[in-house]
Amino acid sequence: MLDIKFVRENPDAIDVAMANRQTTWDRERFFALDEERRSVITEVEELQATRNAESKKIGVLMREGKRDEAEAAKEAVREVNEKIEGLAARRSELEGELADFMAHLPNLPYEATPVGKDETENPERRRWGTPRDFAAEGFEPKPHWDLGTDLGILDFERGSKLSGGRFTVLAGAGAMLDRALENFFLNTHISRGFKEFIPPVVVNREIMFGTGQLPKFEDDAYHVGDDQFLIPTAEVVLTNLHAGEVLDAADLPLRYTAGTPCFREEAGSAGRDTRGIIRQHQFTKVEMVKFAKPEESDAELESMTAEAEYILQQLGLPYRVISLCTGDLGFSARQTYDIEVWLPSYNSYKEISSCSNCGDFQARRANIKYRDPENFKGTRFVHTLNGSGLPTGRTMAAIMENYQNPDGTITVPEVLRPYMGGMEKISID
């Protein structure tokens, strides 16, 4: 979350930031809560001073034999204690309201984030690869949902029968391709300096809060039991591995990766990408997470984005990189690059990776700090970063569509063949 002191001292900057994010904040309510809380604290401190003074009098009066005056002082102390208890209760209420208020404020856009109203104003940074010209090859490409059904590797009907809409059964070479992609992603990241984890996929409420999924996006989360959730991404667990901890500067940056099943209700995406495996309730994704010193986080964002790009280059999939503008920025991010892969079925680029620098926003929520005694006393909040590297489902869809052949088969990219027992083509099983 945001630094409350910064918000208090820079309300005009918050006004601008929220306007650029195409949202608002209740400035008057913030100051009303904050000022009453601070007033209550001051009053309690004054009452405590009065109580201490009266308490000292009691002993003196008793020694002097002035019992009546001592009893009066005791009564005064009791009255002060009652007032303090009442104010303590009010302070607790105010702090709860203020904490909830702050928990709903999104991160402040970074100076490098372009200002814009929505996704239509996201500037393109670069492109790699050239989309395949199917017309020149003399055939009409099929969308991956038709290819997968014809080949028997995607079963939408049985997925729906088992679990409802937006669930899919992967069969035969489809299951093998999904598994091959996850292993390829992980092995690539590990070979390039990332440490792999296999974390739980069920987490407590405070863990979801730490990365900003709660309270704002609770409707998009799958609840499990009383107060636990299925993770929407491994970002949640990897970031919170160090919740409540103090890291050593000498160990930074830390670079983590994990491949996990991910679960999303997709409550706000009705009608979007309903065909195929682009937007599913359950999917597998390999995630990258970094912990960095503030002065190094910009460079770490660039290298994280390059890491996701490297995966797509190895697969030979055309893509472009865009910068998310302020109006399209995620809740916890201060700067984000989206990588969009070319999908013939859309005749356009579709998001496949999102790499974000969250600054100290998540670190404040999860209380993740670092110490650097050579440069400063005490501790400071780290910067956290996260990025997709990559989701297997969307990558599979891109491979199926971009590597399809006129006879309905799919050529397996060379880098994946060792993971698929040497298979060169996916044909009808």
Side-chain angles (χ1 to χ4, degrees):
M1 58 179 60
L2 303 180
D3 180 0
I4 192 170
K5 181 180 179 183
F6 180 87
V7 175
R8 183 186 301 127
E9 295 176 354
N10 300 275
D12 291 343
I14 304 301
D15 284 344
V16 172
M18 295 304 131
N20 286 340
R21 272 186 165 273
Q22 303 299 303
T23 189
T24 60
W25 74 301
D26 194 335
R27 177 170 171 161
E28 292 183 3
R29 176 167 169 73
F30 168 79
F31 279 106
L33 289 171
D34 188 47
E35 289 172 7
E36 185 179 354
R37 170 184 165 275
R38 297 169 75 187
S39 175
V40 167
I41 291 173
T42 300
E43 189 174 353
V44 167
E45 290 173 348
E46 292 173 352
L47 287 170
Q48 287 172 336
T50 299
R51 180 183 61 188
N52 293 340
E54 290 295 321
S55 296
K56 289 179 181 179
K57 285 183 184 179
I58 294 172
V60 175
L61 292 170
M62 291 294 288
R63 285 194 297 273
E64 293 176 351
K66 300 176 180 178
R67 290 185 172 276
D68 291 343
E69 293 181 39
E71 288 300 323
K74 289 179 181 179
E75 182 59 30
V77 168
R78 280 193 291 271
E79 291 177 0
V80 169
N81 281 335
E82 289 178 1
K83 290 182 180 179
I84 290 175
E85 288 176 6
L87 289 169
R90 179 55 182 158
R91 176 181 176 179
S92 180
E93 291 175 2
L94 289 167
E95 290 181 341
E97 291 181 41
L98 192 57
D100 183 67
F101 182 94
M102 295 296 294
H104 282 83
L105 285 182
N107 202 353
L108 304 181
Y110 189 45
E111 58 188 19
T113 297
V115 176
K117 67 177 186 299
D118 56 32
E119 61 184 11
T120 63
E121 298 187 359
N122 293 333
E124 183 177 310
R125 297 304 184 192
R126 56 187 173 273
R127 293 190 181 196
W128 185 91
T130 302
R132 187 174 165 187
D133 188 352
F134 288 97
E137 297 181 35
F139 78 100
E140 183 75 20
K142 293 180 180 180
H144 69 273
W145 50 86
D146 287 341
L147 279 167
T149 301
D150 293 344
L151 291 170
I153 63 175
L154 299 180
D155 195 329
F156 300 105
E157 289 186 5
R158 287 191 172 93
S160 181
K161 178 177 71 174
L162 293 172
S163 305
R166 300 202 184 192
F167 287 93
T168 305
V169 173
L170 306 182
M176 186 181 291
L177 178 57
D178 186 271
R179 180 160 44 85
L181 284 168
E182 181 179 7
N183 288 332
F184 169 63
F185 297 160
L186 287 169
N187 288 349
T188 301
H189 295 320
I190 293 166
S191 70
R192 292 161 63 86
F194 284 77
K195 181 178 181 179
E196 183 186 4
F197 290 83
I198 299 180
V201 298
V202 177
V203 296
N204 300 323
R205 175 172 289 274
E206 61 268 23
I207 300 304
M208 292 282 279
F209 176 86
T211 43
Q213 274 71 32
L214 299 183
K216 186 175 177 62
F217 302 107
E218 186 154 352
D219 288 344
D220 281 324
Y222 274 99
H223 290 247
V224 180
D226 293 334
D227 211 19
Q228 292 184 310
F229 301 83
L230 293 172
I231 62 169
T233 166
E235 168 202 345
V236 174
V237 277
L238 291 178
T239 303
N240 280 284
L241 282 174
H242 294 299
E245 296 181 14
V246 178
L247 307 175
D248 289 323
D251 296 330
L252 300 177
L254 296 173
R255 301 182 177 100
Y256 294 167
T257 188
T260 65
C262 303
F263 305 87
R264 297 181 185 176
E265 283 275 11
E266 297 288 2
S269 63
R272 295 178 60 192
D273 306 317
T274 55
R275 303 200 69 181
I277 55 175
I278 297 299
R279 192 176 298 275
Q280 299 276 278
H281 290 307
Q282 177 185 336
F283 55 96
T284 300
K285 180 156 73 82
V286 172
E287 187 76 3
M288 301 177 286
V289 162
K290 294 183 179 182
F291 301 85
K293 299 175 187 177
E295 64 270 20
E296 296 176 352
S297 69
D298 288 347
E300 290 300 325
L301 175 61
E302 298 298 329
S303 68
M304 177 179 280
T305 307
E307 183 75 9
E309 289 183 69
Y310 178 76
I311 294 284
L312 290 171
Q313 291 170 12
Q314 293 301 297
L315 291 170
L317 294 172
Y319 67 85
R320 68 172 186 169
V321 179
I322 62 172
S323 255
L324 294 197
C325 69
T326 53
D328 197 30
L329 203 60
F331 179 81
S332 295
R334 71 173 195 169
Q335 183 183 6
T336 297
Y337 292 118
D338 268 9
I339 304 174
E340 299 179 339
V341 69
W342 177 259
L343 281 179
S345 61
Y346 285 80
N347 195 34
S348 66
Y349 292 92
K350 192 72 178 175
E351 180 201 332
I352 196 168
S353 176
S354 189
C355 298
S356 299
N357 184 350
C358 297
D360 63 9
F361 187 81
Q362 292 179 328
R364 287 182 183 279
R365 298 171 80 97
N367 192 27
I368 308 170
K369 298 181 179 181
Y370 77 106
R371 62 171 66 89
D372 190 355
E374 293 185 2
N375 293 297
F376 58 81
K377 294 181 180 180
T379 59
R380 296 179 182 175
F381 290 106
V382 299
H383 280 193
T384 63
L385 303 94
N386 63 80
S388 310
L390 298 165
T392 60
R394 291 193 180 201
T395 309
M396 183 189 299
I399 289 172
M400 292 171 66
E401 294 190 8
N402 285 284
Y403 279 88
Q404 62 181 293
N405 301 306
D407 62 359
T409 61
I410 298 168
T411 300
V412 176
E414 287 190 18
V415 293
L416 295 180
R417 293 174 188 176
Y419 296 91
M420 298 186 67
M423 184 184 296
E424 297 183 2
K425 281 188 179 182
I426 298 174
S427 55
I428 295 177
D429 197 350

